[in-house]
Coordinates of all heavy atoms in Angstrom, one line a residue:
M684 N 28.9 0.2 32.8 CA 29.4 0.3 31.5 C 28.6 -0.7 30.6 O 28.6 -1.9 30.9 CB 30.9 -0.1 31.4 CG 31.5 -0.2 30.1 SD 33.2 -0.8 30.2 CE 34.0 0.4 29.3
P685 N 28.0 -0.2 29.5 CA 27.2 -1.1 28.7 C 28.1 -2.1 27.9 O 29.2 -1.7 27.6 CB 26.4 -0.2 27.7 CG 27.2 1.1 27.8 CD 27.9 1.1 29.1
V686 N 27.6 -3.2 27.6 CA 28.3 -4.2 26.8 C 27.7 -4.3 25.4 O 26.5 -4.3 25.3 CB 28.2 -5.6 27.5 CG1 28.9 -6.7 26.6 CG2 28.8 -5.6 28.9
E687 N 28.5 -4.3 24.4 CA 28.0 -4.5 23.0 C 28.5 -5.8 22.5 O 29.6 -6.2 22.7 CB 28.6 -3.3 22.2 CG 28.0 -2.0 22.6 CD 28.5 -0.8 21.8 OE1 29.6 -0.9 21.3 OE2 27.7 0.1 21.6
F688 N 27.6 -6.4 21.7 CA 27.9 -7.8 21.2 C 28.2 -7.6 19.7 O 27.4 -7.0 19.0 CB 26.8 -8.7 21.5 CG 26.7 -9.0 22.9 CD1 25.8 -8.4 23.7 CD2 27.5 -10.0 23.5 CE1 25.6 -8.6 25.0 CE2 27.3 -10.3 24.9 CZ 26.4 -9.6 25.6
I689 N 29.2 -8.3 19.2 CA 29.5 -8.3 17.8 C 29.5 -9.7 17.2 O 29.9 -10.7 17.9 CB 30.9 -7.7 17.5 CG1 31.0 -6.3 18.1 CG2 31.3 -7.7 16.1 CD1 32.4 -5.7 18.1
S690 N 29.0 -9.9 16.0 CA 28.9 -11.2 15.3 C 29.5 -11.0 14.0 O 29.9 -10.0 13.6 CB 27.4 -11.6 15.2 OG 26.8 -10.9 14.2
A691 N 29.5 -12.1 13.2 CA 29.9 -12.1 11.8 C 28.9 -12.9 11.1 O 28.3 -13.9 11.6 CB 31.3 -12.7 11.7
V692 N 28.6 -12.5 9.9 CA 27.5 -13.2 9.1 C 28.2 -14.0 7.9 O 29.3 -13.6 7.5 CB 26.4 -12.3 8.6 CG1 25.7 -11.7 9.7 CG2 27.0 -11.2 7.7
H693 N 27.5 -14.9 7.4 CA 27.9 -15.7 6.3 C 26.8 -15.8 5.3 O 25.6 -15.8 5.7 CB 28.4 -17.1 6.7 CG 29.2 -17.8 5.8 ND1 28.7 -18.5 4.7 CD2 30.6 -17.9 5.6 CE1 29.7 -19.0 4.0 NE2 30.9 -18.6 4.5
P694 N 27.0 -15.7 4.0 CA 26.0 -15.7 3.0 C 25.2 -17.0 2.8 O 24.1 -17.0 2.3 CB 26.7 -15.2 1.8 CG 28.0 -15.7 1.9 CD 28.3 -15.6 3.4
N695 N 25.7 -18.1 3.3 CA 25.1 -19.4 3.0 C 25.6 -20.4 4.0 O 26.6 -20.1 4.7 CB 25.3 -19.9 1.6 CG 26.8 -19.9 1.2 OD1 27.6 -20.6 1.9 ND2 27.2 -19.2 0.2
P696 N 25.1 -21.6 4.1 CA 25.5 -22.6 5.1 C 26.8 -23.3 4.8 O 27.2 -24.2 5.5 CB 24.3 -23.5 5.2 CG 23.6 -23.4 3.9 CD 23.8 -22.0 3.4
A697 N 27.5 -23.0 3.8 CA 28.7 -23.6 3.4 C 29.8 -23.4 4.5 O 29.8 -22.4 5.1 CB 29.2 -23.1 2.1
T698 N 30.6 -24.4 4.7 CA 31.7 -24.3 5.7 C 33.0 -24.8 5.0 O 32.9 -25.4 3.9 CB 31.4 -25.2 6.9 OG1 31.4 -26.6 6.5 CG2 30.1 -24.8 7.6
E699 N 34.1 -24.7 5.7 CA 35.3 -25.2 5.1 C 35.2 -26.8 5.0 O 35.8 -27.4 4.1 CB 36.5 -24.9 6.0 CG 36.9 -23.4 5.9 CD 38.0 -23.0 6.8 OE1 38.7 -23.9 7.4 OE2 38.3 -21.8 6.9
G700 N 34.5 -27.4 5.9 CA 34.3 -28.8 5.9 C 33.3 -29.3 4.7 O 33.4 -30.4 4.3
D701 N 32.4 -28.4 4.4 CA 31.5 -28.7 3.3 C 31.2 -27.5 2.4 O 30.2 -26.8 2.5 CB 30.1 -29.2 3.9 CG 29.2 -29.7 2.9 OD1 29.5 -29.8 1.7 OD2 28.0 -29.9 3.2
P702 N 32.2 -27.2 1.6 CA 32.1 -26.0 0.8 C 31.0 -26.0 -0.3 O 30.6 -25.0 -0.8 CB 33.5 -25.8 0.1 CG 34.0 -27.2 0.1 CD 33.4 -27.9 1.3
T703 N 30.4 -27.2 -0.5 CA 29.4 -27.3 -1.5 C 28.0 -27.1 -1.0 O 27.0 -27.2 -1.7 CB 29.4 -28.7 -2.2 OG1 29.2 -29.7 -1.2 CG2 30.8 -29.0 -2.9
A704 N 27.9 -26.8 0.3 CA 26.6 -26.6 1.0 C 25.9 -25.4 0.5 O 24.7 -25.2 0.8 CB 26.7 -26.6 2.5
G705 N 26.5 -24.5 -0.3 CA 25.9 -23.3 -0.8 C 26.8 -22.4 -1.5 O 28.0 -22.4 -1.2
T706 N 26.3 -21.7 -2.4 CA 27.1 -20.7 -3.1 C 26.2 -19.5 -3.3 O 24.9 -19.6 -3.2 CB 27.5 -21.1 -4.5 OG1 26.3 -21.5 -5.3 CG2 28.4 -22.3 -4.5
G707 N 26.8 -18.3 -3.4 CA 26.0 -17.1 -3.5 C 25.3 -16.8 -2.1 O 25.6 -17.4 -1.1
I708 N 24.3 -15.9 -2.2 CA 23.6 -15.5 -1.0 C 22.3 -16.4 -0.9 O 21.5 -16.3 -1.8 CB 23.2 -14.0 -1.0 CG1 24.5 -13.2 -1.0 CG2 22.3 -13.7 0.2 CD1 24.3 -11.7 -1.1
D709 N 22.2 -17.2 0.1 CA 21.0 -18.0 0.4 C 20.1 -17.1 1.2 O 20.3 -16.9 2.4 CB 21.4 -19.3 1.1 CG 20.2 -20.2 1.4 OD1 19.1 -19.7 1.6 OD2 20.5 -21.4 1.5
V710 N 19.0 -16.6 0.6 CA 18.1 -15.6 1.2 C 17.5 -16.2 2.5 O 17.4 -15.5 3.5 CB 17.1 -15.1 0.2 CG1 16.1 -14.2 0.9 CG2 17.8 -14.4 -1.0
D711 N 17.0 -17.4 2.4 CA 16.4 -18.0 3.6 C 17.4 -18.2 4.8 O 17.1 -17.9 5.9 CB 15.7 -19.4 3.3 CG 14.5 -19.3 2.4 OD1 13.8 -18.2 2.5 OD2 14.3 -20.2 1.7
Y712 N 18.6 -18.6 4.4 CA 19.6 -18.8 5.5 C 20.0 -17.4 6.0 O 20.1 -17.2 7.3 CB 20.9 -19.4 4.8 CG 22.0 -19.6 5.8 CD1 22.1 -20.6 6.7 CD2 23.1 -18.6 5.8 CE1 23.1 -20.7 7.6 CE2 24.1 -18.8 6.7 CZ 24.1 -19.8 7.6 OH 25.2 -20.0 8.4
A713 N 20.2 -16.4 5.2 CA 20.5 -15.0 5.7 C 19.4 -14.4 6.5 O 19.7 -13.8 7.5 CB 20.8 -14.1 4.5
R714 N 18.2 -14.7 6.1 CA 17.0 -14.2 6.9 C 17.0 -14.8 8.3 O 16.8 -14.1 9.3 CB 15.7 -14.4 6.2 CG 14.5 -13.8 6.9 CD 13.2 -14.0 6.1 NE 13.3 -13.3 4.8 CZ 13.3 -13.9 3.6 NH1 13.2 -15.2 3.5 NH2 13.3 -13.1 2.5
R715 N 17.2 -16.1 8.4 CA 17.2 -16.8 9.7 C 18.3 -16.4 10.5 O 18.2 -16.2 11.7 CB 17.2 -18.4 9.5 CG 15.9 -19.0 8.9 CD 15.9 -20.5 9.0 NE 17.2 -21.1 8.5 CZ 17.4 -21.5 7.3 NH1 16.5 -21.3 6.3 NH2 18.5 -22.1 6.9
Q716 N 19.5 -16.2 9.9 CA 20.7 -15.8 10.7 C 20.5 -14.4 11.2 O 20.8 -14.1 12.4 CB 21.9 -15.9 9.8 CG 23.2 -15.6 10.5 CD 24.4 -15.7 9.6 OE1 24.3 -15.4 8.5 NE2 25.5 -16.2 10.2
A717 N 19.9 -13.5 10.4 CA 19.7 -12.1 10.8 C 18.7 -12.1 12.0 O 18.9 -11.3 13.0 CB 19.2 -11.2 9.7
R718 N 17.6 -12.8 11.9 CA 16.6 -12.9 12.9 C 17.2 -13.4 14.2 O 17.0 -12.9 15.3 CB 15.4 -13.7 12.5 CG 14.3 -13.8 13.5 CD 13.7 -12.5 14.0 NE 13.4 -11.6 12.9 CZ 13.4 -10.3 13.1 NH1 13.6 -9.7 14.2 NH2 13.1 -9.5 12.0
A719 N 18.0 -14.5 14.1 CA 18.7 -15.1 15.3 C 19.6 -14.1 16.0 O 19.6 -14.0 17.2 CB 19.4 -16.3 15.0
L720 N 20.4 -13.3 15.2 CA 21.3 -12.3 15.8 C 20.5 -11.2 16.5 O 20.8 -10.8 17.6 CB 22.2 -11.8 14.7 CG 23.2 -12.7 14.1 CD1 23.9 -12.1 13.0 CD2 24.1 -13.3 15.2
D721 N 19.4 -10.8 15.8 CA 18.5 -9.8 16.3 C 17.9 -10.2 17.7 O 17.9 -9.5 18.7 CB 17.5 -9.4 15.3 CG 17.0 -7.9 15.4 OD1 17.7 -7.1 16.0 OD2 16.0 -7.6 14.9
D722 N 17.3 -11.4 17.6 CA 16.7 -12.0 18.8 C 17.7 -12.2 20.0 O 17.3 -12.1 21.2 CB 16.0 -13.3 18.5 CG 14.8 -13.1 17.6 OD1 14.3 -11.9 17.5 OD2 14.3 -14.1 17.1
G723 N 18.9 -12.5 19.6 CA 20.0 -12.7 20.6 C 20.6 -11.4 21.2 O 21.4 -11.5 22.1
G724 N 20.2 -10.3 20.7 CA 20.7 -9.0 21.3 C 22.0 -8.6 20.7 O 22.7 -7.7 21.3
V725 N 22.4 -9.0 19.6 CA 23.7 -8.6 18.9 C 23.5 -7.2 18.5 O 22.5 -6.8 18.0 CB 24.0 -9.5 17.8 CG1 25.2 -9.0 17.0 CG2 24.3 -10.9 18.3
D726 N 24.6 -6.4 18.7 CA 24.5 -4.9 18.4 C 25.1 -4.7 17.0 O 24.7 -3.8 16.3 CB 25.3 -4.1 19.4 CG 24.7 -4.2 20.8 OD1 23.5 -3.8 20.9 OD2 25.3 -4.8 21.7
Y727 N 26.2 -5.4 16.6 CA 26.9 -5.1 15.4 C 27.2 -6.5 14.7 O 27.3 -7.5 15.4 CB 28.3 -4.5 15.6 CG 28.2 -3.2 16.4 CD1 28.3 -3.1 17.7 CD2 28.0 -2.0 15.6 CE1 28.3 -1.9 18.4 CE2 27.9 -0.8 16.3 CZ 28.0 -0.7 17.7 OH 28.0 0.5 18.3
T728 N 27.3 -6.5 13.4 CA 27.7 -7.7 12.7 C 28.7 -7.3 11.6 O 28.6 -6.2 11.0 CB 26.5 -8.4 12.1 OG1 26.9 -9.7 11.7 CG2 25.8 -7.7 11.0
L729 N 29.6 -8.1 11.4 CA 30.7 -7.9 10.3 C 30.3 -8.7 9.1 O 30.0 -9.9 9.2 CB 32.0 -8.3 10.9 CG 32.6 -7.6 12.1 CD1 33.9 -8.2 12.5 CD2 32.7 -6.1 11.8
V730 N 30.5 -8.1 8.0 CA 30.3 -8.8 6.7 C 31.6 -8.7 6.0 O 32.1 -7.6 5.8 CB 29.2 -8.1 5.8 CG1 29.1 -8.8 4.5 CG2 27.9 -8.1 6.6
T731 N 32.3 -9.8 5.7 CA 33.6 -9.8 5.1 C 33.5 -9.5 3.6 O 32.5 -10.0 2.9 CB 34.3 -11.1 5.3 OG1 33.6 -12.2 4.7 CG2 34.6 -11.4 6.8
Y732 N 34.4 -8.8 3.1 CA 34.5 -8.4 1.7 C 35.7 -9.0 1.1 O 36.8 -8.7 1.6 CB 34.4 -6.9 1.5 CG 34.6 -6.5 0.1 CD1 33.5 -6.4 -0.8 CD2 35.9 -6.2 -0.4 CE1 33.7 -6.1 -2.1 CE2 36.0 -5.8 -1.7 CZ 34.9 -5.7 -2.6 OH 35.1 -5.4 -3.9
H733 N 35.6 -9.9 0.1 CA 36.8 -10.3 -0.7 C 36.3 -10.9 -2.0 O 35.1 -11.2 -2.1 CB 37.6 -11.3 0.1 CG 36.9 -12.5 0.6 ND1 36.7 -13.6 -0.1 CD2 36.3 -12.8 1.8 CE1 36.1 -14.6 0.6 NE2 35.8 -14.0 1.8
S734 N 37.2 -11.1 -2.9 CA 36.8 -11.4 -4.3 C 36.3 -12.8 -4.4 O 35.6 -13.2 -5.4 CB 38.0 -11.3 -5.2 OG 39.1 -12.1 -4.8
A735 N 36.5 -13.7 -3.4 CA 36.0 -15.1 -3.5 C 34.7 -15.3 -2.9 O 34.1 -16.4 -2.9 CB 37.0 -16.0 -2.8
A736 N 34.0 -14.2 -2.4 CA 32.7 -14.3 -1.7 C 31.7 -13.7 -2.6 O 31.9 -12.8 -3.4 CB 32.8 -13.7 -0.4
P737 N 30.4 -14.0 -2.3 CA 29.3 -13.3 -2.9 C 29.3 -11.8 -2.6 O 30.1 -11.4 -1.7 CB 28.1 -14.0 -2.3 CG 28.5 -15.3 -1.8 CD 29.9 -15.1 -1.4
D738 N 28.6 -11.0 -3.2 CA 28.6 -9.6 -3.0 C 28.3 -9.2 -1.6 O 27.2 -9.3 -1.1 CB 27.6 -8.9 -3.9 CG 27.7 -7.4 -4.0 OD1 28.4 -6.8 -3.1 OD2 27.0 -6.8 -4.8
A739 N 29.3 -8.7 -0.9 CA 29.2 -8.3 0.5 C 28.3 -7.2 0.7 O 27.6 -7.1 1.8 CB 30.6 -8.1 1.1
L740 N 28.2 -6.2 -0.2 CA 27.4 -5.1 -0.1 C 25.9 -5.5 -0.1 O 25.1 -5.0 0.7 CB 27.6 -4.1 -1.2 CG 29.0 -3.4 -1.2 CD1 29.1 -2.5 -2.4 CD2 29.1 -2.6 0.1
Q741 N 25.5 -6.5 -0.9 CA 24.2 -7.0 -0.9 C 23.8 -7.7 0.4 O 22.7 -7.5 0.9 CB 23.9 -7.9 -2.1 CG 23.8 -7.2 -3.4 CD 23.5 -8.2 -4.5 OE1 23.7 -9.4 -4.4 NE2 23.1 -7.7 -5.6
L742 N 24.8 -8.5 0.9 CA 24.6 -9.2 2.2 C 24.4 -8.2 3.3 O 23.6 -8.3 4.2 CB 25.7 -10.2 2.5 CG 25.5 -11.0 3.7 CD1 24.2 -11.9 3.6 CD2 26.7 -11.9 3.8
A743 N 25.2 -7.2 3.4 CA 25.2 -6.1 4.4 C 23.8 -5.4 4.4 O 23.2 -5.2 5.4 CB 26.3 -5.1 4.3
Q744 N 23.4 -5.1 3.1 CA 22.1 -4.4 3.0 C 21.0 -5.3 3.4 O 20.0 -4.9 4.1 CB 21.9 -3.9 1.6 CG 20.6 -3.2 1.3 CD 20.4 -2.8 -0.1 OE1 21.1 -3.2 -1.0 NE2 19.4 -2.0 -0.4
F745 N 21.0 -6.6 3.0 CA 20.0 -7.5 3.4 C 19.9 -7.6 4.9 O 18.8 -7.6 5.5 CB 20.3 -8.9 2.8 CG 19.3 -9.9 3.1 CD1 18.2 -10.1 2.2 CD2 19.3 -10.7 4.2 CE1 17.2 -11.0 2.4 CE2 18.3 -11.7 4.5 CZ 17.3 -11.8 3.6
G746 N 21.0 -7.7 5.6 CA 21.0 -7.8 7.1 C 20.4 -6.6 7.7 O 19.6 -6.6 8.6
A747 N 20.8 -5.4 7.2 CA 20.3 -4.2 7.7 C 18.8 -4.0 7.5 O 18.1 -3.5 8.4 CB 21.0 -3.0 7.1
N748 N 18.3 -4.5 6.4 CA 16.9 -4.4 6.1 C 16.0 -5.5 6.9 O 14.8 -5.3 6.9 CB 16.6 -4.6 4.6 CG 17.1 -3.4 3.8 OD1 17.2 -2.3 4.4 ND2 17.4 -3.6 2.6
H749 N 16.6 -6.5 7.4 CA 15.9 -7.6 8.0 C 16.1 -7.7 9.5 O 15.8 -8.8 10.1 CB 16.2 -8.9 7.3 CG 15.6 -9.0 6.0 ND1 16.2 -8.6 4.8 CD2 14.4 -9.5 5.6 CE1 15.4 -8.8 3.8 NE2 14.3 -9.4 4.2
T750 N 16.6 -6.7 10.1 CA 16.8 -6.7 11.6 C 16.3 -5.4 12.1 O 16.1 -4.4 11.4 CB 18.3 -6.8 12.0 OG1 19.0 -5.7 11.4 CG2 18.9 -8.1 11.4
E751 N 16.0 -5.4 13.4 CA 15.5 -4.2 14.1 C 16.6 -3.3 14.6 O 16.4 -2.1 14.6 CB 14.6 -4.7 15.3 CG 13.5 -5.6 14.9 CD 12.3 -4.8 14.3 OE1 12.1 -3.6 14.7 OE2 11.7 -5.3 13.4
R752 N 17.7 -3.8 15.0 CA 18.7 -3.0 15.8 C 20.1 -3.2 15.3 O 21.0 -2.4 15.7 CB 18.6 -3.3 17.2 CG 18.6 -4.8 17.5 CD 18.6 -5.2 18.9 NE 20.0 -5.0 19.4 CZ 20.3 -5.0 20.7 NH1 19.4 -5.1 21.6 NH2 21.5 -4.8 21.0
I753 N 20.4 -4.2 14.6 CA 21.8 -4.5 14.3 C 22.4 -3.5 13.3 O 21.8 -3.2 12.3 CB 22.0 -5.9 13.7 CG1 21.5 -7.0 14.7 CG2 23.4 -6.2 13.3 CD1 21.5 -8.4 14.2
K754 N 23.6 -3.1 13.7 CA 24.4 -2.2 12.8 C 25.4 -3.0 12.0 O 26.1 -3.8 12.6 CB 25.1 -1.1 13.6 CG 24.2 -0.2 14.4 CD 24.9 0.6 15.4 CE 24.0 1.2 16.4 NZ 23.4 0.3 17.4
T755 N 25.4 -2.9 10.7 CA 26.2 -3.7 9.9 C 27.5 -3.0 9.5 O 27.5 -1.8 9.1 CB 25.5 -4.1 8.6 OG1 24.2 -4.7 9.0 CG2 26.2 -5.1 7.7
F756 N 28.6 -3.7 9.6 CA 29.9 -3.2 9.2 C 30.5 -4.1 8.1 O 30.5 -5.3 8.2 CB 30.9 -3.2 10.4 CG 30.6 -2.1 11.4 CD1 30.0 -2.5 12.6 CD2 31.0 -0.8 11.2 CE1 29.7 -1.5 13.5 CE2 30.7 0.1 12.1 CZ 30.1 -0.2 13.3
L757 N 31.0 -3.4 7.1 CA 31.6 -4.1 6.0 C 33.1 -4.2 6.3 O 33.8 -3.2 6.5 CB 31.4 -3.4 4.7 CG 31.8 -4.1 3.4 CD1 31.0 -5.4 3.2 CD2 31.5 -3.2 2.2
A758 N 33.7 -5.4 6.4 CA 35.1 -5.6 6.8 C 35.9 -5.9 5.5 O 35.7 -6.9 4.9 CB 35.2 -6.8 7.8
H759 N 36.7 -4.9 5.2 CA 37.6 -5.0 4.0 C 39.0 -4.7 4.4 O 39.2 -3.6 5.0 CB 37.1 -4.1 2.9 CG 37.9 -4.2 1.7 ND1 38.9 -3.3 1.4 CD2 37.9 -5.0 0.6 CE1 39.5 -3.6 0.3 NE2 38.8 -4.6 -0.2
R760 N 39.9 -5.5 4.0 CA 41.3 -5.2 4.2 C 41.9 -4.7 2.9 O 42.0 -5.5 1.9 CB 42.0 -6.5 4.6 CG 43.4 -6.2 5.0 CD 44.0 -7.5 5.6 NE 45.3 -7.3 6.2 CZ 46.1 -8.2 6.7 NH1 45.6 -9.4 6.7 NH2 47.2 -7.9 7.2
P761 N 42.2 -3.5 2.7 CA 42.7 -2.9 1.5 C 43.9 -3.7 0.9 O 44.8 -4.1 1.7 CB 43.1 -1.5 1.8 CG 42.3 -1.2 3.1 CD 42.2 -2.5 3.8
G762 N 43.9 -3.9 -0.4 CA 45.0 -4.5 -1.1 C 44.9 -6.0 -1.1 O 45.8 -6.7 -1.6
V763 N 43.9 -6.6 -0.4 CA 43.8 -8.1 -0.4 C 42.9 -8.5 -1.5 O 41.8 -8.1 -1.6 CB 43.3 -8.6 1.0 CG1 43.0 -10.1 0.9 CG2 44.2 -8.2 2.1
I764 N 43.5 -9.3 -2.4 CA 42.7 -9.9 -3.5 C 42.9 -11.4 -3.5 O 44.1 -11.9 -3.5 CB 43.1 -9.3 -4.8 CG1 42.9 -7.8 -4.8 CG2 42.3 -10.0 -6.0 CD1 43.4 -7.1 -6.1
F765 N 41.9 -12.1 -3.4 CA 41.9 -13.6 -3.4 C 41.9 -14.1 -4.8 O 41.1 -13.6 -5.6 CB 40.8 -14.2 -2.6 CG 40.9 -13.9 -1.1 CD1 40.3 -12.7 -0.6 CD2 41.6 -14.7 -0.2 CE1 40.4 -12.4 0.7 CE2 41.7 -14.4 1.1 CZ 41.1 -13.3 1.6
P766 N 42.6 -15.1 -5.2 CA 42.6 -15.6 -6.5 C 41.2 -16.2 -6.8 O 40.6 -16.9 -6.0 CB 43.7 -16.6 -6.6 CG 44.0 -17.0 -5.2 CD 43.6 -15.8 -4.4
T767 N 40.7 -16.0 -8.0 CA 39.4 -16.5 -8.4 C 39.6 -17.8 -9.2 O 38.6 -18.5 -9.5 CB 38.6 -15.5 -9.2 OG1 39.4 -15.1 -10.3 CG2 38.2 -14.3 -8.3
S768 N 40.8 -18.1 -9.6 CA 41.0 -19.4 -10.3 C 42.4 -19.8 -10.1 O 43.3 -19.0 -9.6 CB 40.8 -19.2 -11.8 OG 41.7 -18.3 -12.3
S769 N 42.7 -21.0 -10.4 CA 44.1 -21.6 -10.1 C 45.0 -21.0 -11.2 O 44.6 -20.9 -12.4 CB 44.1 -23.1 -10.2 OG 43.2 -23.6 -9.2
P770 N 46.2 -20.7 -10.8 CA 47.2 -20.2 -11.8 C 47.5 -21.4 -12.8 O 47.6 -22.5 -12.4 CB 48.3 -19.7 -11.0 CG 48.2 -20.4 -9.7 CD 46.8 -20.7 -9.5
S771 N 47.8 -21.0 -14.0 CA 48.2 -22.1 -15.0 C 49.7 -22.3 -14.8 O 50.4 -21.4 -14.5 CB 47.9 -21.7 -16.4 OG 48.6 -20.5 -16.7
R772 N 50.0 -23.6 -14.9 CA 51.4 -24.0 -14.8 C 52.0 -24.3 -16.2 O 51.4 -25.0 -16.9 CB 51.6 -25.2 -13.9 CG 51.2 -24.9 -12.5 CD 51.4 -26.1 -11.6 NE 50.9 -25.8 -10.3 CZ 51.3 -26.5 -9.2 NH1 52.1 -27.5 -9.4 NH2 50.9 -26.1 -8.1
S773 N 53.1 -23.8 -16.4 CA 53.8 -24.1 -17.7 C 55.0 -25.0 -17.4 O 55.7 -24.8 -16.4 CB 54.1 -22.9 -18.5 OG 54.8 -21.9 -17.7
S774 N 55.2 -25.9 -18.3 CA 56.4 -26.8 -18.1 C 57.6 -26.2 -18.7 O 57.7 -25.5 -19.5 CB 56.1 -28.1 -18.9 OG 55.0 -28.7 -18.4

């Protein structure tokens, strides 16, 4: 039985611990990540889609165009919308 490997991609090196490490799609980071996944034998990669992230469709297309074999899946949970700003509070 063949084994398939799945990964997830991120558009930039920002983390929860350091959210200021990047915004938007960092092309050099995405290219290095795509190449590493390709070289590592990954079969599929997930690109998350939500309103607080850079354009997931562009990231998915970038990954597909910069790898030899990886199949890209766009992961979207219908009805989930993340707030883009803090709600105002009234006294």
Side-chain angles (χ1 to χ4, degrees):
M684 172 187 236
V686 175
E687 294 180 327
F688 294 96
I689 301 173
S690 74
V692 296
H693 199 273
N695 56 55
T698 64
E699 289 180 8
D701 185 9
T703 61
T706 58
I708 297 174
D709 181 331
V710 175
D711 290 331
Y712 178 82
R714 185 178 294 114
R715 288 191 315 270
Q716 187 177 34
R718 180 57 50 208
L720 295 174
D721 209 17
D722 292 346
V725 170
D726 298 298
Y727 302 95
T728 191
L729 299 175
V730 178
T731 59
Y732 175 85
H733 56 86
S734 62
D738 190 349
L740 294 174
Q741 286 183 343
L742 184 58
Q744 180 182 11
F745 183 88
N748 289 335
H749 287 86
T750 62
E751 298 286 327
R752 51 177 279 164
I753 297 176
K754 297 166 194 77
T755 304
F756 287 101
L757 191 60
H759 178 266
R760 187 175 189 183
V763 174
I764 299 174
F765 294 88
T767 55
S768 63
S769 301
S771 61
R772 294 182 182 201
S773 48
S774 301

